Structures are given as structure tokens and as C-alpha cells.
């Protein structure tokens, strides 16, 4: 019953309030008919294009009675953002730290996300497919995880300094909590303080984000150089070598 003037815009509000961490699918269908009740003279026949026949409603005389716009909607629930995990290491050292992350509200499901590896928001090669998580029953869970950065500048600073590997997975079916244990490697070359976000996605539905704070503290003093004076107003010289770690 919504009337639209020529060139007028129609806003269709969509509310998403998920009850579980799983994929929700629906469609928004807009059905347009002439205000005077007349049909469009175009007749839809058996030879008409399949997409065309799906997007129109046909009157008894074969004329077009209404036009349909169909918008598929996929709802992906996202868990509240967790507290930051701090990874602290002294510059020019190498740290390996086990990080335990809890995924709350996981719902097992057989269907995976379509084209999950081709998402436009994911950098090529950054999305990792993890092994399955099982509890001994027929239910199976699969996860995708990726380390995201706030900017390309931060990515260039951390990409070669940070490594992550999924070590263990545990699933408590009663509490519906999946525990993922990662091994994080941090090898900073100089002092810094940068953030990243570990994004975990369940193929059955659900998205969890875990902020990571990488802190590289000042390195220890390499050596102490003593210069002995040979006399007043006379130069004293000492030489030492510096080796670059990069080209």
C-alpha cells in the first residue's frame, strides 16, 4: 500500500537481532503494481528468460501484473569484542606465547559459508582454513581465521614480525564454548606499539574478534665503550664495528 511518485526513493528498514551464533538467510521482496490496477502489456511466455519469469507476476490474460525486486539477505552474528591480548617482547629478541581464545555460543551446522575464501574484505592468502573441531559425535565445526590490521602501514610493520599457528581446539558441547589455542611468534627488530585484530569465523555461522596489542620494549645495551683521555685538549679515538641486520 505504499505509493511512490516518479523518481521517488523508498527506504526499506531491515532489523537483524540474532538469537544464536549461526547464519540467518531471508529475502526482501518489493512488489510493484500500477496504482490504477492496469497491467503492463508485455506477455510472459514459456520461452521468456528464467530470471524475467521469476521477477514478475502474471495476470490471467498473460500480461504483466506486477514487478518483483528480490534482495537476498545473509545475517552473520558477531560476538561482542573481547579484551585485548597483550604480546610483549624486548626488541631484537624472539617471543613464543600461547594464547587461549574462547568462542562462546558456537552452534554446530553442516552448511559452510558460500565462497568464504573469496571475500573481498580478506587479503589474498591471509585467510587460513583450520582443521575440524569435533566432540566425538557426528557434529563437525570448521573455522577460518585471519589477522587484520588497521592500516597498510601497520601491516607493513608487523607482517614479517608476527606469526600465528593454531595448535589445539576443544569443544564443550554443554556450554557451547570452543577453545582455540594459538602459538604466537613475535620477533620485533625495534621498539614499537601496534595493534591488530584476530578475526575468527565459524563456517556454521558466527564471527569473533580478538584485539591483539604488540609491544616491543627497548633492547638491552649492546656494549659499553670506554674512551681513555691521553691529555688535556688532545683527541682520544676508539673504533668499533656496526653490523646491519638488513640490506
Amino acid at each position: 500500500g505504499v505509493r511512490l511518485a516518479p523518481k521517488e526513493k523508498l527506504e526499506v528498514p531491515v532489523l537483524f537481532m540474532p538469537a544464536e551464533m549461526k547464519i540467518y538467510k531471508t529475502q526482501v521482496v518489493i512488489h510493484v503494481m500500477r496504482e490504477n490496477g492496469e497491467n503492463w502489456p508485455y506477455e510472459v511466455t514459456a520461452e521468456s528468460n528464467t530470471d524475467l519469469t521469476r521477477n514478475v507476476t502474471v495476470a490471467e490474460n498473460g500480461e504483466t501484473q506486477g514487478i518483483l525486486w528480490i534482495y537476498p539477505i545473509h545475517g552473520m552474528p558477531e560476538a561482542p569484542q573481547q579484551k585485548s591480548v597483550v604480546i610483549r617482547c624486548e626488541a631484537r629478541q624472539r617471543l613464543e606465547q600461547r594464547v587461549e581464545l574462547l568462542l562462546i555460543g558456537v552452534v554446530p551446522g553442516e552448511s559452510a559459508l558460500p565462497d568464504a575464501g573469496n571475500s573481498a574484505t580478506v587479503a589474498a592468502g591471509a585467510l587460513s582454513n583450520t582443521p575440524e573441531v569435533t566432540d566425538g559425535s557426528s557434529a563437525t565445526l570448521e573455522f577460518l581465521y585471519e589477522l587484520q590490521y588497521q592500516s597498510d602501514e601497520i601491516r607493513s610493520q608487523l607482517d614479517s614480525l608476527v606469526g600465528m599457528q593454531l595448535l589445539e581446539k576443544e569443544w564443550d558441547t554443554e556450554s557451547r564454548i570452543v577453545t582455540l589455542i594459538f602459538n604466537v611468534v613475535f620477533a620485533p627488530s625495534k621498539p614499537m606499539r601496534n595493534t591488530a585484530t584476530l578475526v575468527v569465523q565459524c563456517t556454521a555461522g558466527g564471527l569473533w574478534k580478538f584485539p591483539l596489542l604488540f609491544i616491543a620494549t627497548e633492547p638491552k645495551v649492546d656494549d659499553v665503550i670506554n674512551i681513555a683521555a691521553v691529555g688535556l685538549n688532545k683527541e682520544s679515538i676508539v673504533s668499533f664495528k656496526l653490523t646491519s641486520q638488513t640490506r
Side-chain angles (χ1 to χ4, degrees):
V2 179
R3 293 184 178 182
L4 287 179
K7 302 296 183 179
E8 185 178 354
K9 293 182 179 180
L10 173 65
E11 293 186 359
V12 181
V14 177
L15 174 65
F16 180 46
M17 190 171 60
E20 295 181 328
M21 296 293 283
K22 65 179 183 181
I23 298 176
Y24 292 85
K25 296 182 179 180
T26 187
Q27 289 182 335
V28 172
V29 180
I30 309 297
H31 188 201
V32 175
M33 296 177 290
R34 285 183 170 180
E35 187 179 14
N36 57 12
E38 296 181 359
N39 300 327
W40 283 276
Y42 183 84
E43 293 186 5
V44 180
T45 63
E47 292 78 18
S48 299
N49 185 279
T50 304
D51 291 336
L52 175 63
T53 58
R54 187 176 65 94
N55 292 319
V56 298
T57 53
V58 183
E60 294 181 358
N61 59 1
E63 294 181 344
T64 301
Q65 186 179 35
I67 303 174
L68 299 173
W69 281 268
I70 303 174
Y71 299 91
I73 294 180
H74 292 179
M76 174 66 72
E78 181 176 329
Q81 186 162 301
Q82 308 298 313
K83 293 182 179 180
S84 295
V85 177
V86 179
I87 312 295
R88 187 187 301 271
C89 178
E90 184 180 297
R92 299 206 301 269
Q93 298 295 322
R94 186 177 185 273
L95 171 72
E96 286 197 31
Q97 180 174 329
R98 290 167 65 94
V99 176
E100 186 175 296
L101 304 177
L102 301 181
L103 310 183
I104 301 175
V106 177
V107 178
E110 298 178 356
S111 61
L113 266 179
D115 301 326
N118 296 327
S119 174
T121 60
V122 176
L127 198 59
S128 302
N129 209 346
T130 72
E132 298 174 349
V133 181
T134 63
D135 65 340
S137 66
S138 59
T140 301
L141 292 174
E142 293 183 356
F143 293 92
L144 305 171
Y145 66 91
E146 175 198 15
L147 198 60
Q148 294 181 349
Y149 305 96
Q150 293 180 346
S151 64
D152 292 337
E153 182 181 356
I154 297 179
R155 177 184 296 275
S156 63
Q157 293 179 9
L158 290 180
D159 228 6
S160 60
L161 307 179
V162 177
M164 295 194 69
Q165 181 184 9
L166 181 60
L167 299 179
E168 300 178 19
K169 301 159 292 296
E170 299 176 359
W171 182 20
D172 189 335
T173 54
E174 294 184 1
S175 63
R176 296 200 302 183
I177 295 178
V178 172
T179 302
L180 302 182
I181 300 177
F182 289 87
N183 182 52
V184 181
V185 178
F186 184 36
S189 57
K190 60 182 179 180
M192 66 173 62
R193 184 186 181 94
N194 283 322
T195 59
T197 302
L198 177 62
V199 180
V200 180
Q201 177 180 320
C202 180
T203 54
L207 198 68
W208 294 262
K209 294 183 179 181
F210 300 92
L212 303 178
L213 176 59
F214 294 93
I215 300 176
T217 58
E218 291 286 343
K220 295 178 180 178
V221 174
D222 294 285
D223 200 358
V224 177
I225 300 173
N226 294 315
I227 304 177
V230 297
L232 293 176
N233 299 318
K234 293 183 179 181
E235 291 184 351
S236 297
I237 299 176
V238 62
S239 63
F240 57 92
K241 295 181 179 181
L242 295 177
T243 304
S244 175
Q245 296 182 353
T246 65
R247 294 190 178 185

